[in-house]
Amino acid sequence: MVNITAMKQLYLLVFLFPLLAMTGGSERQAERERMVRTQIEARGVTHAATLRAMRRVMRHRLVPPDVRAQAYSDSPLPIGYGQTISQPYIVAYMTEVVRPAKGQKVLEIGTGSGYQAAVLAEIVDEVYTVEIVRPLAQRARRDLNDLGYENIHFRTGDGYHGWEAHGPYDAIVVTAAAEYIPPPLLAQLKEGGRMVIPVGSQFMTQQLVLVEKRDGRTRSRNLMPVRFVPFTRSE
Ligand code: SAH
């Protein structure tokens, strides 16, 4: 006679449990929870919407298969074409400093994996992101679409020029290191808006710079030394 109970247990074990683990936002949730506590909150990030977004975005679905296992480790990871996805803490910190909020419109330069765009898209209304490496832009668009993000808009091209048609922006997040702050980006920042950008060459120490526009004037201050891939220019 067939042992029904044993069969039920087997069915649960080989079929239902993996299915449950794979569906919904719970995929690798425990790892994200640990990442937020030990890497992000532990280093002083307190902005509630940022922490919520970091707990939600499935970083492992936005990195290439060969580094997926390390998706929640405390480090940047290669994403192909000589580019990298930033360390989770840096993404959280850059998000927090521009104080994103519901109702806002944000411009990102350097889509890369699409991870920073997704974190912003969890918080603000619309995210406009520009990437210079076409295959990266295409992959990010596909992956973010698969994850169901409908408020991220993509453009392939040189982000030096920003994306004027949708500006001005409440916040601008630049994720590649420029030698100076591109003037078109300053022009596309709203009054009262904030921009975060790594400044410096590939061979020097770069500084993460926060720019604020108030009364038509811009004020900048250095936040911390960082290391980003270079901001490249198209001809
Ligand atoms: N925000 C990304 C980080 C990717 S690394 C993420 O979350 O994964 C920085 C990205 O900036 C790279 O993909 C690089 O190709 C891109 N980049 C460099 N110079 C650029 C430019 N002038 N315009 C747009 N993107 C640029």
Side-chain angles (χ1 to χ4, degrees):
M1 204 181 99
V2 187
N3 184 335
I4 301 287
T5 315
M7 273 186 68
K8 264 190 191 160
Q9 279 171 353
L10 194 70
Y11 175 78
L12 276 173
L13 212 67
V14 302
F15 186 70
L16 273 186
F17 283 163
L19 195 72
L20 276 172
M22 278 167 60
T23 54
S26 60
E27 211 177 298
R28 295 180 73 172
Q29 188 62 50
E31 283 175 84
R32 277 195 296 285
E33 190 56 48
R34 197 176 325 121
M35 169 191 83
V36 169
R37 267 189 290 105
T38 64
Q39 302 172 29
I40 298 170
E41 288 182 315
R43 294 193 179 109
V45 173
T46 57
H47 189 250
T50 298
L51 295 171
R52 201 178 315 121
M54 297 300 296
R55 283 192 165 92
R56 285 178 60 93
V57 180
M58 291 195 247
R59 183 170 164 98
H60 65 282
R61 297 270 295 263
L62 296 167
V63 297
D66 58 320
V67 294
R68 208 154 275 170
Q70 297 104 274
Y72 298 101
S73 68
D74 193 10
S75 62
L77 295 169
I79 56 170
Y81 306 91
Q83 307 304 324
T84 56
I85 177 175
S86 298
Q87 180 188 8
Y89 166 65
I90 294 292
V91 174
Y93 182 77
M94 289 173 75
T95 306
E96 175 176 70
V97 293
V98 296
R99 297 196 193 136
K102 216 174 148 32
Q104 293 182 347
K105 200 160 64 166
V106 176
L107 174 67
E108 180 198 25
I109 306 301
T111 314
S113 67
Y115 181 65
Q116 172 77 73
V119 169
L120 291 164
E122 291 278 349
I123 306 172
V124 303
D125 283 15
E126 305 297 333
V127 176
Y128 295 86
T129 183
V130 184
E131 169 58 53
I132 201 163
V133 178
R134 184 173 297 275
L136 282 176
Q138 286 169 339
R139 192 177 63 197
R141 184 198 290 264
R142 186 201 60 203
D143 291 345
L144 291 168
N145 190 49
D146 288 349
L147 289 175
Y149 290 97
E150 288 177 352
N151 58 341
I152 306 177
H153 313 278
F154 302 86
R155 182 179 190 172
T156 304
D158 185 352
Y160 182 92
H161 307 287
W163 193 343
E164 200 178 0
H166 300 284
Y169 301 94
D170 297 283
I172 301 180
V173 175
V174 183
T175 65
E179 306 224 345
Y180 60 94
I181 300 169
L185 298 185
L186 282 176
Q188 289 168 34
L189 190 62
K190 262 187 203 172
E191 169 65 28
R194 299 179 137 219
M195 162 159 52
V196 67
I197 175 169
V199 179
S201 79
Q202 210 183 344
F203 313 103
M204 281 164 35
T205 310
Q206 303 161 1
Q207 278 290 332
L208 196 61
V209 176
L210 177 66
V211 182
E212 290 177 85
K213 198 186 245 187
R214 247 185 268 148
D215 310 317
R217 289 184 44 232
T218 55
R219 256 174 284 196
S220 310
R221 73 186 156 92
N222 292 351
L223 299 172
M224 64 158 108
V226 285
R227 199 176 168 79
F228 276 79
V229 294
F231 195 98
T232 53
R233 300 296 316 277
S234 55
E235 299 312 312

